[in-house]
């Protein structure tokens, strides 16, 4: 009995950590975009959905798994460049209008996906069908791969943000756009590339998650809600907060779902989020201003 | 902008009222002799336009952007179902009971939501909407989940008059009455001093606060009022469809009034009604031929947002005002 519980616990802890790392990729994109441009990207979940769908499509038609991790994020990243420059720029820093615009983008993406890929739920074959003996349970290797890929990406992202000139530009623009502009930082280009980076991360999250989840054209919203919880609890614009909370929330949800349905555990984490927000409206790691 | 410009063409109240009277006459005319499918379409537009109006009070006049009004739509629908089932009173009382309950809930959630600003406000409204959606999906014994609950609406008799929603003409005028009443009532509110304060909050919250208004109370008023009318539209929709399901709480329903009022013109009251009519008629024909209509809606939203963020009505008003300035010549 105890052994059974322990193995279940280990399994859900691992699952939570894996899923948390993938979600943190998505939430990081969301929080970067918000922190820099004041855009609440409702279409973020749909970009994730598009990433997953594209990688399903590529696997089906070429059978090449590496391609399925490379092509979708790049395509979606390019789309992000276009979206920021041509569609969203006039609305930046007016949250309401960015919400409307990104709702529209989300609608378009959803029905394009429906038109191209169809309405039925798709499943990607597990690329690494092996499983590993870990903490007394058999754990699928692919999930560990997805987790380590996300971890690697997070590290790269951290290096970009804190060790390169471009990262410095991003952080400077986040703090004060006008002063950044006057000190010679190409703010517009920084915004464009950062938005594309956010889209890239989201699509990559989709590609990594594709073999774990069921793919449908409406899958984006669930992830968007999770990313919102993470971003709001962690504090909008805080990167550390996004990483820590996404791990915590998804581990919590997974452990809870030993006893509850996934729906109820999501409800629990939502209620927890509301409680935290009532206590501290800027989130745990949120900046004190505003 | 909500204020009627007190000059030129628009100063003449009689001329301003004419198009409304004409539309009303047309609606009554269609109600009497219109074919049944046109009536059904118009009824649908009338019910949804109450919902759009409720959203417009919140966004167009107070500047509170809620992406979660489906929460109150769904609560209104279900409180109507439950009050019809358990109160055993006539359905008009049930309608008001449902709307009242919804506004009480709006007041309670408002305590948590109203304090937040900007992005946090938007996200909190989404989160509360999702909470209620998940609850409705989870508590299938209460809500019927995705399959929903069907209801029967018993006719009521007042003297010799029998009001039964099974009669298409009667129900047409029933919904016409409610949508007109909502329009007139909200018009009165936004033209009153309270409406001015709400609008000042939208334009500049900080200044409104410095002048000495309790903006928290005014925002709360707007939020609760909007909740009331969302609840009313949910209850009316249930009485029209004879059915309520957990999908009433879905985020798609929350997105609808945003589309409608954006296209019609937020902050004009009549704009959202026009937007609702346009989109519902469009979808009625379009979705039959083309399954992927959201691509078109999304593109339309982006175009309107880019070129005329005040929607169709705002665009027309601007044009007419410019023309009037031309006629008047240099000052």
């Amino acid at each position: 009995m105890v052994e059974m519980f322990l193995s279940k616990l280990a399994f859900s802890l691992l699952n939570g950590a894996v899923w948390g790392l993938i979600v943190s990729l998505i939430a990081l994109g969301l929080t970067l975009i918000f922190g820099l441009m004041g855009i609440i990207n409702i279409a973020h979940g749909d970009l994730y959905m598009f990433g997953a769908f594209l990688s399903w499509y590529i696997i089906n038609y070429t059978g090449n798994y590496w391609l399925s991790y490379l092509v979708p994020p790049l395509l979606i990243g390019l789309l992000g460049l276009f979206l920021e420059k041509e569609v969203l720029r006039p609305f930046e820093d007016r949250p309401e209008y960015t919400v409307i615009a990104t709702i529209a983008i989300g609608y378009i993406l959803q029905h394009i996906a429906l038109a191209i890929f169809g309405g039925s739920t798709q499943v990607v074959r597990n690329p690494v069908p092996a499983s590993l003996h870990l903490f007394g349970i058999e754990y699928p290797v692919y999930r560990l791969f997805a987790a380590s890929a996300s971890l690697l990406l997070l590290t790269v992202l951290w290096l970009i943000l804190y060790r390169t000139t471009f990262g410095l530009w991003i952080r400077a623009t986040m703090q004060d756009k006008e002063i950044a502009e006057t000190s010679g930082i190409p703010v517009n280009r920084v915004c464009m590339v950062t938005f594309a980076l956010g889209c890239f991360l989201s699509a990559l999250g989709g590609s990594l998650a594709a073999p774990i989840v069921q793919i449908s054209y409406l899958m984006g919203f669930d992830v968007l809600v999770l990313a919102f919880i993470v971003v709001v609890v962690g504090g909008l614009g805080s990167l550390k907060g996004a990483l820590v909370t996404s791990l915590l929330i998804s581990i919590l949800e997974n452990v809870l779902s030993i006893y509850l349905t996934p729906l109820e555990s999501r409800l629990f984490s939502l209620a927890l989020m509301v409680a935290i927000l009532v206590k501290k409206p800027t989130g745990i790691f949120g900046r004190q201003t505003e | 902008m909500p204020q009627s410009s007190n000059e030129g063409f628009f100063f003449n109240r009689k001329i301003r009222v004419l198009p409304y009277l004409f539309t009303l006459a047309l609606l009554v005319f269609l109600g009497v002799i219109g074919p049944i499918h046109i009536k059904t379409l118009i009824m649908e537009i009338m019910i949804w336009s109450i919902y759009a109006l409720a959203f417009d009070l919140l966004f167009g006049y107070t500047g509170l952007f809620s992406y979660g009004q489906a929460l109150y739509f769904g609560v209104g629908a279900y409180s109507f179902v439950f009050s019809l089932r358990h109160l055993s009173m006539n359905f008009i009382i049930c309608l008001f009971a449902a709307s009242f309950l919804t506004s009480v809930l709006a007041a309670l959630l408002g305590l948590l939501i109203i304090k937040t600003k900007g992005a946090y406000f938007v996200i909190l409204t989404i989160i509360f909407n999702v909470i209620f959606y998940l609850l409705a999906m989870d508590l299938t014994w209460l809500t019927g989940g995705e399959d929903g609950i069907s209801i029967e609406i018993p006719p009521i008799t007042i003297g010799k008059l029998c009001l039964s929603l099974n009669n298409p003409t009667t129900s047409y005028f029933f919904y016409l009455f409610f949508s007109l009443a909502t329009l007139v009532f909200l018009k009165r509110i936004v033209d009153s001093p309270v409406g001015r304060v709400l609008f000042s909050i939208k334009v500049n919250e900080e200044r409104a606060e410095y002048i000495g208004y309790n903006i928290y109370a005014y925002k709360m008023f707007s939020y609760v009022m909007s909740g009331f009318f969302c609840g009313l539209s949910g209850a009316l929709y249930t009485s029209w469809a004879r059915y309520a399901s957990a999908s009433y709480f879905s985020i798609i329903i929350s997105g609808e009034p945003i589309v409608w009022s954006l296209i019609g013109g937020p902050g004009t009251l009549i704009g959202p009604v026009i937007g609702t009519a346009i989109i519902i008629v469009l979808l009625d024909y379009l979705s039959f031929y083309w399954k992927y209509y959201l691509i078109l809606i999304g593109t339309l939203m982006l175009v309107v947002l880019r070129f005329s963020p005040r929607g169709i009505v705002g665009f027309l008003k601007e044009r007419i005002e410019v023309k009037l300035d031309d006629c008047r010549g240099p000052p």
Side-chain angles (χ1 to χ4, degrees):
Chain A
M1 192 61 204
V2 177
E3 246 171 48
M4 180 113 157
F5 173 75
L6 278 181
S7 69
K8 260 187 188 166
L9 187 69
F11 200 78
S12 46
L13 279 175
L14 276 170
N15 265 348
V18 169
W19 189 232
L21 282 168
I22 294 177
V23 166
S24 72
L25 285 181
I26 297 153
L28 269 178
L30 203 65
T31 192
L32 263 181
I33 288 171
F34 179 80
L36 209 59
M37 289 159 271
I39 294 175
I40 308 173
N41 192 3
I42 302 287
H44 216 69
D46 299 311
L47 292 166
Y48 158 87
M49 172 272 293
F50 232 84
F53 250 129
L54 279 176
S55 71
W56 165 79
Y57 194 76
I58 288 168
I59 288 171
N60 263 12
Y61 283 86
T62 64
N64 189 334
Y65 284 101
W66 295 111
L67 226 52
S68 78
Y69 297 121
L70 243 147
V71 177
L74 286 177
L75 278 179
I76 300 290
L78 281 178
L79 178 73
L81 283 180
F82 167 78
L83 285 179
E84 201 278 332
K85 185 156 186 288
E86 300 298 333
V87 184
L88 291 170
R89 178 133 336 139
F91 313 120
E92 276 165 21
D93 287 321
R94 280 148 69 199
E96 293 85 13
Y97 287 94
T98 64
V99 171
I100 300 177
T102 50
I103 287 173
I105 294 170
Y107 279 172
I108 296 173
L109 286 176
Q110 277 173 24
H111 269 206
I112 287 179
L114 181 66
I116 300 177
F117 307 115
S120 48
T121 308
Q122 308 291 352
V123 181
V124 170
R125 211 159 19 87
N126 191 344
V128 196
S131 62
L132 201 67
H133 202 71
L134 210 66
F135 306 119
I137 50 167
E138 296 287 320
Y139 199 74
V141 173
Y142 177 76
R143 291 185 183 213
L144 295 176
F145 163 75
S148 34
S150 322
L151 209 57
L152 184 72
L153 251 145
L154 289 172
T155 320
V156 170
L157 197 69
W158 187 83
L159 286 176
I160 289 176
L161 275 173
Y162 290 95
R163 291 285 180 274
T164 65
T165 318
F166 188 74
L168 189 69
W169 287 356
I170 293 181
R171 284 182 291 139
T173 315
M174 252 187 185
Q175 280 179 6
D176 194 311
K177 230 176 197 170
E178 276 174 21
I179 294 179
E181 188 129 41
T182 42
S183 33
I185 295 172
V187 169
N188 278 343
R189 212 181 308 155
V190 170
C191 286
M192 205 161 99
V193 174
T194 311
F195 191 85
L197 185 70
C199 297
F200 177 91
L201 287 174
S202 181
L204 192 71
S207 302
L208 284 172
I212 305 177
V213 296
Q214 292 190 322
I215 305 167
S216 87
Y217 76 102
L218 292 172
M219 71 195 276
F221 189 68
D222 263 353
V223 171
L224 183 74
V225 169
L226 194 56
F228 270 154
I229 305 175
V230 166
V231 164
V232 170
V233 172
L236 273 170
S238 158
L239 303 177
K240 192 173 64 184
L243 179 62
V244 175
T245 16
S246 70
L247 277 172
L248 281 180
I249 295 265
S250 101
I251 288 176
L252 178 77
E253 276 192 8
N254 270 284
V255 170
L256 277 178
S257 63
I258 299 176
Y259 293 108
L260 305 170
T261 64
L263 223 99
E264 285 160 354
S265 53
R266 173 58 58 83
L267 270 173
F268 187 86
S269 63
L270 283 168
L272 187 73
M273 190 207 85
V274 171
I276 288 175
L277 273 188
V278 169
K279 203 77 189 152
K280 197 165 181 303
T282 46
I284 299 175
F285 296 89
R287 278 172 291 177
Q288 289 307 310
T289 49
E290 233 216 6
Chain B
M1 277 211 284
Q3 77 234 44
S4 49
S5 75
N6 290 332
E7 292 164 53
F9 195 70
F10 282 94
F11 185 60
N12 196 332
R13 243 190 123 78
K14 276 178 199 159
I15 296 180
R16 254 184 76 196
V17 162
L18 267 181
Y20 294 98
L21 281 180
F22 177 74
T23 316
L24 187 62
L26 186 72
L27 282 175
V28 171
F29 179 70
L30 278 174
V32 177
I33 62 135
I36 187 91
H37 67 273
I38 300 266
K39 269 192 211 168
T40 316
L41 197 63
I42 294 178
M43 278 194 265
E44 203 178 340
I45 292 169
M46 287 189 299
I47 295 166
W48 282 120
S49 64
I50 296 175
Y51 184 44
L53 283 169
F55 175 78
D56 195 38
L57 178 70
L58 207 56
F59 175 55
Y61 285 93
T62 324
L64 295 173
F65 186 90
S66 163
Y67 189 17
Q69 290 305 92
L71 157 56
Y72 302 117
F73 185 83
V75 169
Y78 273 106
S79 20
F80 178 64
V81 170
F82 295 139
S83 53
L84 204 61
R85 208 185 255 175
H86 299 296
L87 280 185
S88 64
M89 273 191 264
N90 75 48
F91 66 88
I92 293 181
I93 293 177
C94 293
L95 272 178
F96 283 108
S99 321
F100 180 71
L101 267 176
T102 316
S103 60
V104 170
L105 181 73
L108 287 177
L109 293 183
L111 290 175
L112 297 174
I113 296 178
I114 294 293
K115 274 184 204 154
T116 56
K117 284 178 189 168
Y120 280 99
F121 181 84
V122 180
I123 295 176
L124 260 186
T125 53
I126 298 177
I127 296 296
F128 273 107
N129 189 348
V130 172
I131 289 178
F132 273 77
Y133 177 65
L134 293 181
L135 273 176
M137 293 294 261
D138 196 38
L139 305 173
T140 36
W141 56 270
L142 187 69
T143 61
E146 196 120 47
D147 298 330
I149 308 173
S150 338
I151 49 164
E152 284 289 321
I153 296 179
I156 48 174
T157 9
I158 310 160
K160 276 189 180 174
L161 202 74
C162 177
L163 182 62
S164 158
L165 290 187
N166 294 324
N167 179 344
T169 311
T170 319
S171 59
Y172 181 92
F173 283 104
F174 179 73
Y175 295 123
L176 181 65
F177 168 75
F178 272 101
S179 59
L180 273 183
T182 306
L183 185 61
V184 171
F185 184 78
L186 286 180
K187 181 80 185 150
R188 294 296 298 218
I189 284 188
V190 300
D191 284 345
S192 71
V194 176
R196 297 275 158 234
V197 178
L198 293 183
F199 192 66
S200 78
I201 291 174
K202 183 195 175 177
V203 175
N204 195 328
E205 195 175 319
E206 279 179 0
R207 283 190 195 169
E209 198 168 8
Y210 291 150
I211 292 171
Y213 289 115
N214 181 357
I215 55 166
Y216 180 71
Y218 280 97
K219 278 180 172 179
M220 191 64 150
F221 168 77
S222 172
Y223 194 74
V224 171
M225 212 45 135
S226 175
F228 180 88
F229 285 108
C230 286
L232 179 66
S233 63
L236 284 174
Y237 189 80
T238 311
S239 74
W240 177 74
R242 306 279 199 281
Y243 159 81
S245 86
S247 63
Y248 285 12
F249 287 97
S250 90
I251 198 78
I252 299 167
I253 305 274
S254 289
E256 308 270 33
I258 299 173
V259 182
W260 297 331
S261 68
L262 173 76
I263 287 174
T268 57
L269 283 192
I270 197 68
V273 177
I274 294 173
T276 312
I278 291 175
I279 299 293
I280 286 181
V281 171
L282 194 73
L283 288 195
D284 193 57
Y285 289 100
L286 197 69
S287 60
F288 188 70
Y289 297 107
W290 200 45
K291 223 167 73 184
Y292 315 115
Y293 57 89
L294 273 185
I295 297 176
L296 188 83
I297 300 277
T299 319
L300 193 64
M301 280 169 78
L302 288 176
V303 168
V304 169
L305 205 56
R306 186 68 177 271
F307 297 105
S308 171
R310 288 164 63 196
I312 294 171
V313 172
F315 181 77
L316 288 180
K317 264 191 178 169
E318 239 165 50
R319 278 297 148 95
I320 291 170
E321 272 157 28
V322 166
K323 247 185 199 161
L324 284 172
D325 286 347
D326 289 348
C327 295
R328 236 178 275 131

